[in-house]
Amino acid sequence: MSKIVVAERLRKNFGNVEAVKSVSFHVNSGEIYGFLGPNGAGKTTTLRILTGVLKPTDGKVEVYGMDVFKNPIDVKSIIGVVPDEPKLYENLTGREFLEFVGSVFSMKRVEMNQRVLELSEAFGVNFLSKFIGDYSHGMRQKLMLISVLMRRPKVLFLDEPTVGLDAKSAKILKLLLRKYVDEGVAVFMTTHVLEIAEKMCDRIGIINEGELIAEGTLEELRSYSGRESLEDIFLKLTGGDEIKEIVDSL
Amino acid sequence: MTITKELWILLKYKFLMWSNIPKRRRKRSIPSWLYVLIVLAVIVSFGLPTYFLMLKMIASYVQISLGGIDLASLFLEISLLGILGLIVLIDTPAVTLNVFMSDDVGFLLTLPLSQSAIFYSKMIETLVEGTFPALLFIPLLLAYGNVVGMAWYTFIFVFIMYAFYVLFCAGISGLLSLVISKFASKSGMRRFMMLSSMATMILAYFMMNIISMPSFSSQNMQSALNAYVSKVNFFLWPSTWFLSSIRGNLLGMFALIGIASGTFALSYYIASKNVLSGFSNVISAARKKRGKEKYRTHGIFGALMVKEFRAFRREPSIMFFLVYPVIFPLFIILTSSHRKPETLLMGELTGIFMASMYIILAMASLVSIDVRVGWILKTMPVKETKPLWAKAFVVTGSFIVVIASVFLTFSVFFGGFLSTVLVVLLSIPIFLLLSFFGVYAVTKWPNPSGGTKRSLSTTGSLISMPMGFIGAACVGAQSFYFLSNGKVWHFSLLISTLLFMILPFAIEFALMIFVKRMISRIDWSEPFENRVS
Ligand SMILES: Nc1ncnc2c1ncn2[C@@H]1O[C@H](COP(=O)(O)OP(=O)(O)O)[C@@H](O)[C@H]1O
Ligand SMILES: [Mg+2]
């Protein structure tokens, strides 16, 4: 197993809000790394830094040994990113959008057609000739997934990938990711949903208020915390012990 | 991939998006030959009269020579500097907004595209929309060339050089927006706004100062004129290089081509340094508040007003609208050599014209924010017209406060305090009316690609201009009437009452009826789709 994505002491300030505070971790080849944390913990910000969209205030990101901000083009041509709220071009049809992405990645026409066909069938996508402006959240997410998966990236970054998806598509995504991972792909995904992290990820990093407060496989986290379910671990780490008090006072 | 290939892909799909719009809205699109014909007709009907006007003027100017240059060439140079100021003023905020605050930049940054390509594609997009004023120059160039007696191939050369000149102007805008982003990347939106409007203001003020006429009241008119000529016809100005290059001076030609390419090379260099990922829309420069927040509730209308006021204050593109109506008049006022109440009045009316126009756009933005949030307001127990009134009050109020405070301050130095008060008061009703016209406009001509930055389609934006003019004309006419005690110029009392009092009021009244009827017809469940017909 080799380290594919390496993040070292990432920090990001927005004005005087510290969104990410010195976070370090790595993602190995052949694993799904889950970034778990409550809303506003800094997951999306970290993902934007990892993918070279946002410069960190401090720290370093390497993908396949290349610095994301020094070799942006090389890195971006081997990664795929699915944002949480895909803001896509309203006035393009899904097909035109895929063509656009395919052109940017200089994909071969035959290969692209083949892949899009397979993936559309898998996700039950039959709306590619409609304008993106008329898509629902889940439809946009599926389109974005197709545009990323069709080009077989070596590293995948997914931000809350299952939020907009129906149950069947979520299941298919899970199986697909597992298949790619077995072929050596590295996956970094964020989620605020415990079950997802539990079921999909090989290793989990728990982030709260911009800090990575625990990391490891499910077993490691369990032995570290001494409790049974991940829910308890998660709530304990992110300060959920007073939940009963809170609910009672309402 | 090379940057040209990247740019090609980006622009190709941008064009596709643009040409898809009628398809998406399932509008009957007019055949393209008819479209071309209409555009041609518009160009000719504006261009030809301008051309003949210019021809006459230049023919007489060319015989007058001062300070070693003929008046026609001087006029050309002045206009070129004016164009530079105008393009910078219009394009810089547009490029900045488009490059650094577009929704899709985040997505494009995840693709293996160079940041220079992304920057240039955004810049070209903006410039295509924002550099129309440069076309106004073509009749002037043709007239100048004809008077001077140029051969046809020289015309081609002139237009090539003019293209370089426009490129230079656009390049300055691009550079400015890069520099602004560099300084503003670490801080909040507010500072970003301040910096960009200030930078453009200073530059434009500088340009206007160069071309504004000296005061000829001094006895030493000849030397004043000479000083003026040498100021405009200065060897470091790109306009001077343009002029000398079309007169066959190679040095001027190389200087102009060099500087135009230079600005682009420089912005390419800066853009390739990862500026785009260095910048993040700081959503709020939120200070962490300690302790418990206190919440206050307002009545329904108060709550709506507060909400609209915040939306207004926090949407940077709307804030720009508020700045323009004072910047432009300030140029007129500050660069004029006479400090007289009349100058101030002219400035005020210009400001009211701009304000009337931008009120429509600001209102459109506010309405489209609400429509995009969709059903939230509809689930609340609020009557549909109430949010509209709240918006209209906020927009009208903000513009009135800004205009009043700026012009009243100036009137202390220029005189004419009372007339300023009068002008401000007369603007209130027309501003309110135009706010409601903005509501109508955004449902009739919404920007098909969405967004609150530009919420009107091109047609809508174009229509806001004559509407703004009507607004300013009404206020102007009424103030003239009051200021001259009912006898404007040499008109009789009856005629001037009819023309300057009754007519403007009739127009306002008609506008009120029209807007009221149109707004009552809007179907708020799908205001952008089921448009009023
Ligand atoms: N562009 C921005 N400007 C200012 N603050 C931001 C910006 N983006 C994120 N933040 C702040 O950073 C923190 C982390 O946000 P984010 O990474 O989106 O959280 P999440 O874990 O839910 O994805 C939040 O407090 C958020 O308000
Ligand atoms: Mg998030």
Side-chain angles (χ1 to χ4, degrees):
Chain A
M1 269 203 291
S2 54
K3 296 178 180 178
I4 302 297
V5 182
V6 180
E8 270 173 38
R9 290 189 301 281
L10 295 185
R11 236 160 40 74
K12 181 68 195 180
N13 297 347
F14 292 112
N16 35 23
V17 175
E18 283 185 293
V20 177
K21 304 166 188 164
S22 195
V23 164
S24 306
F25 61 92
H26 64 268
V27 184
N28 296 316
S29 77
E31 80 170 359
I32 302 181
Y33 185 93
F35 218 44
L36 174 66
N39 299 333
K43 303 181 295 292
T44 301
T45 307
T46 309
L47 186 131
R48 287 171 74 204
I49 296 173
L50 295 179
T51 52
V53 174
L54 186 66
K55 256 191 200 151
T57 312
D58 222 336
K60 202 168 98 174
V61 185
E62 281 185 358
V63 173
Y64 270 98
M66 296 177 286
D67 188 304
V68 171
F69 291 94
K70 292 201 181 107
N71 306 304
I73 308 286
D74 296 331
V75 170
K76 285 167 190 176
S77 50
I78 57 169
I79 67 172
V81 186
V82 181
D84 56 347
E85 269 181 38
K87 292 194 176 110
L88 295 173
Y89 301 105
E90 311 253 299
N91 289 320
L92 288 186
T93 64
R95 187 160 292 122
E96 286 163 346
F97 175 72
L98 292 177
E99 268 169 19
F100 168 67
V101 176
S103 322
V104 170
F105 282 87
S106 318
M107 284 185 75
K108 301 223 168 34
R109 186 170 300 177
V110 186
E111 190 199 348
M112 190 176 144
N113 285 331
Q114 180 65 29
R115 297 282 296 156
V116 170
L117 203 67
E118 289 167 9
L119 288 165
S120 310
E121 253 167 49
F123 287 109
V125 167
N126 54 3
F127 43 78
L128 287 180
S129 51
K130 284 194 196 160
F131 286 103
I132 298 176
D134 306 329
Y135 285 13
S136 72
H137 181 103
M139 289 157 93
R140 282 170 203 235
Q141 214 161 10
K142 285 180 183 174
L143 176 65
M144 203 62 206
L145 274 171
I146 294 179
S147 82
V148 165
L149 297 180
M150 72 178 186
R151 48 181 213 252
R152 291 185 176 279
K154 291 187 180 151
V155 190
L156 276 171
F157 296 90
L158 312 164
D159 198 0
E160 312 269 1
T162 50
V163 167
L165 295 183
D166 50 75
K168 184 180 160 226
S169 303
K171 178 87 183 172
I172 285 177
L173 176 65
K174 187 183 147 193
L175 295 176
L176 265 182
L177 287 182
R178 186 52 63 194
K179 182 172 158 246
Y180 295 147
V181 161
D182 289 343
E183 291 165 5
V185 169
V187 176
F188 174 93
M189 60 175 272
T190 75
T191 180
H192 63 270
V193 184
L194 293 153
E195 288 79 17
I196 307 259
E198 240 170 334
K199 284 184 191 145
M200 288 176 75
C201 304
D202 301 308
R203 269 190 325 128
I204 297 167
I206 299 182
I207 182 172
N208 188 35
E209 294 186 355
E211 278 174 301
L212 196 62
I213 50 179
E215 193 192 42
T217 61
L218 206 51
E219 283 73 46
E220 284 168 354
L221 286 175
R222 271 183 192 141
S223 62
Y224 162 80
S225 142
R227 293 199 208 182
E228 261 312 290
S229 83
L230 186 58
E231 179 170 15
D232 291 337
I233 305 171
F234 183 51
L235 287 178
K236 184 187 166 203
L237 288 172
T238 58
D241 269 351
E242 65 274 26
I243 284 187
K244 197 167 164 357
E245 272 170 54
I246 296 174
V247 174
D248 286 344
S249 78
L250 287 175
Chain B
M1 236 188 321
T2 58
I3 180 163
T4 37
K5 174 101 186 291
E6 293 175 351
L7 256 181
W8 165 247
I9 294 178
L10 285 171
L11 291 175
K12 174 178 153 196
Y13 282 90
K14 192 71 207 179
F15 179 77
L16 195 60
M17 283 171 223
W18 179 76
S19 59
N20 269 346
I21 290 169
K23 267 192 255 168
R24 178 165 169 223
R25 299 183 59 205
R26 290 186 201 85
K27 245 184 12 189
R28 265 177 301 124
S29 58
I30 47 172
S32 47
W33 61 267
L34 191 63
Y35 195 76
V36 172
L37 217 64
I38 292 174
V39 170
L40 273 181
V42 171
I43 290 177
V44 168
S45 62
F46 277 103
L48 269 187
T50 321
Y51 171 72
F52 285 113
L53 199 75
M54 290 292 166
L55 200 62
K56 221 174 111 192
M57 197 174 80
I58 300 236
S60 62
Y61 278 6
V62 87
Q63 291 152 7
I64 308 167
S65 128
L66 17 102
I69 186 172
D70 62 290
L71 194 54
S73 303
L74 192 69
F75 178 74
L76 192 66
E77 282 190 318
I78 293 174
S79 323
L80 280 168
L81 285 173
I83 275 282
L84 172 60
L86 199 65
I87 290 183
V88 168
L89 202 62
I90 293 175
D91 280 354
T92 310
V95 172
T96 335
L97 279 173
N98 234 357
V99 171
F100 294 99
M101 278 160 217
S102 288
D103 286 341
D104 63 337
V105 170
F107 165 67
L108 292 178
L109 282 175
T110 66
L111 303 180
L113 294 167
S114 68
Q115 297 206 5
S116 315
I118 301 176
F119 177 76
Y120 271 119
S121 76
K122 289 274 156 198
M123 186 164 137
I124 290 171
E125 236 174 71
T126 322
L127 295 181
V128 167
E129 291 171 4
T131 313
F132 276 118
L135 292 181
L136 294 177
F137 230 71
I138 292 174
L140 175 59
L141 285 177
L142 284 175
Y144 182 83
N146 257 349
V147 171
V148 181
M150 285 180 184
W152 65 268
Y153 47 86
T154 325
F155 273 110
I156 298 175
F157 176 70
V158 168
F159 282 112
I160 292 176
M161 290 320 286
Y162 182 59
F164 273 105
Y165 186 78
V166 173
L167 276 182
F168 164 75
C169 301
I172 293 285
S173 281
L175 267 185
L176 268 180
S177 72
L178 279 172
V179 170
I180 290 164
S181 80
K182 202 78 195 156
F183 281 110
S185 60
K186 286 203 181 60
S187 52
M189 194 75 95
R190 192 103 10 106
R191 184 147 150 232
F192 187 82
M193 294 272 315
M194 296 272 286
L195 273 170
S196 45
S197 40
M198 241 151 66
T200 46
M201 256 199 286
I202 291 170
L203 198 87
Y205 177 68
F206 184 63
M207 309 301 323
M208 295 301 222
N209 232 338
I210 297 173
I211 62 180
S212 67
M213 285 282 176
S215 109
F216 290 118
S217 52
S218 56
Q219 318 98 314
N220 215 338
M221 191 162 146
Q222 191 58 44
S223 70
L225 257 178
N226 283 344
Y228 177 67
V229 168
S230 58
K231 197 166 70 164
V232 171
N233 192 28
F234 187 52
F235 75 100
L236 274 183
W237 301 149
S239 49
T240 310
W241 302 339
F242 175 81
L243 188 69
S244 53
S245 74
I246 65 172
R247 288 165 159 189
N249 181 329
L250 281 183
L251 196 64
M253 182 179 101
F254 287 127
L256 185 57
I257 295 179
I259 188 101
S261 325
T263 49
F264 272 78
L266 193 58
S267 57
Y268 177 86
Y269 176 76
I270 300 178
S272 66
K273 296 281 164 210
N274 295 334
V275 269
L276 292 176
S277 52
F279 185 88
S280 167
N281 302 345
V282 176
I283 303 162
S284 56
R287 261 169 235 107
K288 270 196 183 159
K289 284 192 182 136
R290 299 276 168 217
K292 287 258 186 316
E293 285 257 355
K294 290 266 186 296
Y295 288 93
R296 270 184 303 164
T297 52
H298 317 261
I300 291 181
F301 199 69
L304 287 171
M305 291 275 285
V306 169
K307 163 185 162 294
E308 298 308 341
F309 185 65
R310 290 189 175 141
F312 187 93
R313 208 161 49 103
R314 290 175 189 167
E315 174 60 46
S317 53
I318 305 186
M319 287 298 286
F320 273 119
F321 294 156
L322 205 51
V323 178
Y324 280 138
V326 279
I327 298 184
F328 275 100
L330 280 190
F331 290 139
I332 297 186
I333 296 170
L334 292 178
T335 56
S336 73
S337 40
H338 314 285
R339 292 209 158 175
K340 286 199 287 193
E342 288 78 26
T343 324
L344 184 63
L345 187 62
M346 277 327 290
E348 285 165 6
L349 289 179
T350 319
I352 291 191
F353 163 57
M354 310 278 312
S356 308
M357 210 162 87
Y358 284 123
I359 278 175
I360 298 175
L361 300 184
M363 227 16 219
S365 292
L366 285 181
V367 171
S368 77
I369 289 177
D370 263 7
V371 171
R372 294 221 150 70
V373 207
W375 40 270
I376 294 185
L377 269 183
K378 277 178 235 150
T379 61
M380 296 185 179
V382 176
K383 233 179 93 185
E384 270 145 1
T385 46
K386 261 200 182 147
L388 299 183
W389 277 101
K391 288 183 181 64
F393 280 146
V394 166
V395 170
T396 304
S398 309
F399 275 89
I400 288 286
V401 166
V402 168
I403 284 187
S405 51
V406 170
F407 291 131
L408 286 177
T409 314
F410 269 92
S411 70
V412 174
F413 303 104
F414 281 68
F417 182 80
L418 279 180
S419 71
T420 305
V421 173
L422 179 71
V423 168
V424 169
L425 287 181
L426 285 171
S427 320
I428 296 175
I430 194 83
F431 280 9
L432 264 178
L433 281 173
L434 289 173
S435 313
F436 281 102
F437 182 80
V439 178
Y440 164 70
V442 76
T443 51
K444 175 91 179 163
W445 305 287
N447 180 1
S449 42
T452 47
K453 222 163 43 200
R454 286 181 66 238
S455 38
L456 290 186
S457 67
T458 315
T459 318
S461 313
L462 283 179
I463 285 174
S464 71
M465 224 180 283
M467 290 309 294
F469 185 76
I470 291 177
C474 286
V475 174
Q478 290 164 349
S479 9
F480 283 141
Y481 182 80
F482 283 121
L483 290 177
S484 53
N485 291 321
K487 290 204 63 150
V488 185
W489 294 315
H490 47 266
F491 290 118
S492 72
L493 185 63
L494 178 70
I495 303 267
S496 53
T497 309
L498 269 178
L499 272 184
F500 291 87
M501 201 65 228
I502 310 279
L503 184 64
F505 271 122
I507 291 176
E508 289 181 13
F509 190 71
L511 186 60
M512 187 176 83
I513 302 284
F514 171 76
V515 167
K516 196 167 170 342
R517 170 165 312 164
M518 283 309 171
I519 287 184
S520 69
R521 280 196 203 161
I522 298 173
D523 170 8
W524 286 105
S525 60
E526 293 284 5
F528 288 0
E529 276 75 15
N530 309 338
R531 293 165 308 126
V532 273
S533 50

